[in-house]
Amino acid sequence: MSHELFALLAESLQQTLIMVSVALAIATALGVPLGVILNAAAPGQLLPNAPVYRVLGAIVNATRSTPFIILMVALIPLTRIIVGTSIGTPAAVVPLTIAATPFIARIVEAALRDVDRGLVEAAQAMGATPWQIVVKVLLPESLPATVAGLTLAAVAMIGYSAMAGAVGGGGLGDLAIRYGYERFRADVMAATVAILIALVQLVQSGGDALARRLKHT
Amino acid sequence: MYLDGRIPMIELSGVEKRFATPSGEVAALRGVDLRIGSGEIFGIIGKSGAGKSTLVRCINLLERPSAGRVNVAGRELTTLGSGALLEARREIGMVFQHFNLLASRTAYRNVALPLELAGWRPRRIAERVLEVLEFVDLLEQRDRYPAQLSGGQKQRVGIARALAARPSVLLCDEATSALDPQTTASILALLKRINQAIGLTILVITHEMGVVASLCDRVAVIEDGLVVEQGPVAELFAQPRSATTRDFVTALEGMGSVTRTLRVAR
């Protein structure tokens, strides 16, 4: 492998890692509370609220049904406001975050819903407030499922990040298109694909291991 | 009267509970009156669907009665606002059939949960948790997770958790129904020991007459949302008046004779 190719791969890998990890962190910070609200407001849950549930649910679904490549272009004005530019790795973080947030919200909502109702009942019998039930019971008990879901989200985001080249976001996907496809560099294409496969494997097995550890069986 | 003029620890008057279902309204409780004295172990027995679980949930208002009054430890729960109700629930420990322990917490931290919820200081929590864990003989298992405990151990954690905040009443909802006979006996012995050691009022919901016979002072038989018979356990055994009570007594005697037959056969 030539020195030049190695440098290119290293730089692109770094861009992908930055894009995905920053977007994942922000999307988790936004998606977890959103998932908690969706769960609590759902019919038959802690604080059922049909209007809140319907409006939030509709926004989440709308975002999730927009193809990422379109979302990315459609969000360019917003990206400019937030980052100051619509080109580059930081700019790609904005659409990635917005695509991942509703995904994570649904994951968290489902994970919380799967917590045994008996535990909620036990906490209520102890005089827990709805907030205490969320913080002390629902979130810790759903942590293994949430970690498994976040792993899923991270893998999906690695896939999305490959499209970030469309806004000049860089990353491995961009490298594969620019060198592997447009310049017929089969070696770059192969190396990129190999790195992506390894990266996804690493994320998946790391996530699985963590989820297993958190289960305390 | 058993209460001897004492103020009852639990008093239900005219408690009704109706549920709206797609096929119309269902009456789970149709006017239940009960007075349970301080320090008493009181049983409520009934077949599945009789309304036992609804009844016990009406005592800590996990289910709000559609009509009637619930008074626990001198407080009229049915009139309390939501904040005061949360406060009052801390006075009522509850033990569940399926334990309902948090899988994400060790035995120690499960017992600590009600104290954390009540805002106790960490040092007081530690003292109290170790004290109750010792009482239920689980000090050595304190760092294990529920998945690493046997059914009987899980239920002892459940009981320790229910006792942690020093409640004045303990509600047991089919607390031994998921356990084998030997473990059941040890849990019943533990409940008896708690009652004797601290004079705690215990309400036991069950569908097994054996539990009532070996644990309770008095019992109420519930059928189709109504108390059909109540009184001291020995009296009910000697002279069951309702058909349901006779069924329960016969079932128990039947089992007793089977065990005797087996013993003789051996």
Side-chain angles (χ1 to χ4, degrees):
Chain A
M1 202 193 289
S2 75
H3 185 74
E4 163 237 19
L5 176 57
F6 184 81
L8 271 175
L9 285 171
E11 195 198 353
S12 299
L13 175 62
Q14 196 190 5
Q15 286 168 340
T16 295
L17 289 178
I18 290 173
M19 261 188 286
V20 172
S21 54
V22 173
L24 183 66
I26 302 173
T28 304
L30 298 172
V32 171
L34 195 55
V36 168
I37 296 171
L38 277 171
N39 170 267
Q45 296 292 334
L46 278 181
L47 300 164
N49 187 322
V52 168
Y53 185 70
R54 247 181 259 136
V55 169
L56 280 184
I59 295 172
V60 162
N61 289 346
T63 318
R64 288 191 60 198
S65 47
T66 312
F68 183 65
I69 190 95
I70 294 171
L71 191 71
M72 204 158 49
V73 177
L75 286 175
I76 284 176
L78 178 70
T79 307
R80 275 213 194 96
I81 294 171
I82 297 175
V83 189
T85 169
S86 62
I87 300 164
T89 304
V93 167
V94 175
L96 260 181
T97 304
I98 288 176
T101 301
F103 187 56
I104 291 174
R106 285 296 188 202
I107 284 168
V108 170
E109 184 200 358
L112 297 180
R113 196 173 49 225
D114 283 346
V115 172
D116 186 353
R117 290 289 306 165
L119 299 182
V120 175
E121 196 185 40
Q124 282 170 332
M126 290 172 209
T129 61
W131 174 250
Q132 285 178 320
I133 292 174
V134 168
V135 173
K136 298 268 184 189
V137 179
L138 292 179
L139 286 175
E141 286 292 301
S142 65
L143 196 57
T146 303
V147 166
L150 287 179
T151 308
L152 206 66
V155 169
M157 286 167 78
I158 292 172
Y160 284 168
S161 77
M163 292 180 221
V167 294
L172 288 165
D174 186 36
L175 181 72
I177 296 288
R178 282 189 294 122
Y179 282 74
Y181 180 66
E182 286 165 1
R183 299 186 199 176
F184 306 105
R185 287 285 299 269
D187 56 339
V188 178
M189 185 66 98
T192 315
V193 170
I195 292 175
L196 281 173
I197 291 174
L199 187 59
V200 168
Q201 290 284 0
L202 209 68
V203 168
Q204 188 66 53
S205 51
D208 287 348
L210 183 59
R212 222 176 12 252
R213 260 198 63 182
L214 291 169
K215 266 189 177 164
H216 301 298
T217 43
Chain B
M1 186 65 202
Y2 186 88
L3 291 174
D4 303 331
R6 280 182 294 175
I7 299 166
M9 183 58 91
I10 303 175
E11 186 170 19
L12 307 184
S13 355
V15 169
E16 293 176 25
K17 179 69 189 181
R18 293 180 292 271
F19 291 104
T21 70
S23 53
E25 207 172 63
V26 173
L29 298 175
R30 301 187 295 146
V32 172
D33 299 298
L34 278 180
R35 290 157 63 91
I36 299 167
S38 176
E40 207 178 352
I41 305 186
F42 193 94
I44 292 177
I45 190 166
K47 296 172 182 168
S48 17
K52 310 183 292 281
S53 280
T54 308
L55 180 59
V56 75
R57 278 162 182 74
C58 278
I59 293 174
N60 55 11
L61 259 64
L62 285 180
E63 297 283 2
R64 191 167 273 278
S66 314
R69 287 179 300 135
V70 176
N71 193 309
V72 179
R75 245 193 298 205
E76 181 110 13
L77 300 191
T78 29
T79 62
L80 295 180
S82 52
L85 177 61
L86 295 184
E87 200 67 38
R89 278 184 183 152
R90 293 182 185 141
E91 288 275 303
I92 307 172
M94 192 166 182
V95 179
F96 302 86
Q97 177 175 6
H98 297 294
F99 324 124
N100 294 351
L101 300 178
L102 270 63
S104 59
R105 286 178 171 238
T106 59
Y108 177 97
R109 295 196 58 234
N110 264 288
V111 177
L113 179 61
L115 307 179
E116 287 173 24
L117 295 175
W120 286 34
R121 293 188 183 287
R123 187 174 302 169
R124 272 187 74 210
I125 292 180
E127 272 174 31
R128 181 59 183 158
V129 172
L130 293 176
E131 192 180 11
V132 268
L133 278 176
E134 187 173 17
F135 188 82
V136 301
D137 199 19
L138 273 180
L139 261 188
E140 281 171 29
Q141 283 80 22
R142 65 182 165 215
D143 293 327
R144 298 227 186 128
Y145 288 92
Q148 300 156 341
L149 298 171
S150 71
Q153 287 172 332
K154 281 185 213 170
Q155 196 55 298
R156 280 191 279 155
V157 175
I159 292 171
R161 181 178 70 176
L163 292 179
R166 302 185 191 279
S168 36
V169 169
L170 186 64
L171 307 176
C172 301
D173 183 21
E174 298 277 9
T176 57
S177 298
L179 302 173
D180 63 60
Q182 269 184 339
T183 314
T184 294
S186 80
I187 293 295
L188 295 181
L190 174 60
L191 290 174
K192 191 133 223 168
R193 187 154 66 85
I194 292 164
N195 172 258
Q196 283 162 355
I198 54 176
L200 189 64
T201 309
I202 303 181
L203 178 68
V204 179
I205 301 285
T206 183
H207 65 275
E208 294 168 298
M209 203 56 169
V211 169
V212 171
S214 59
L215 185 62
C216 299
D217 303 316
R218 284 197 306 148
V219 60
V221 181
I222 177 169
E223 190 183 2
D224 200 16
L226 284 172
V227 173
V228 291
E229 193 167 355
Q230 63 172 311
V233 173
E235 249 172 57
L236 241 78
F237 268 83
Q239 296 168 308
R241 285 189 305 252
S242 75
T244 314
T245 315
R246 271 196 294 277
D247 284 351
F248 279 122
V249 172
T250 332
L252 183 66
E253 281 169 350
M255 247 187 283
S257 64
V258 170
T259 5
R260 271 196 300 278
T261 319
L262 285 177
R263 233 179 269 142
V264 173
R266 236 180 271 156

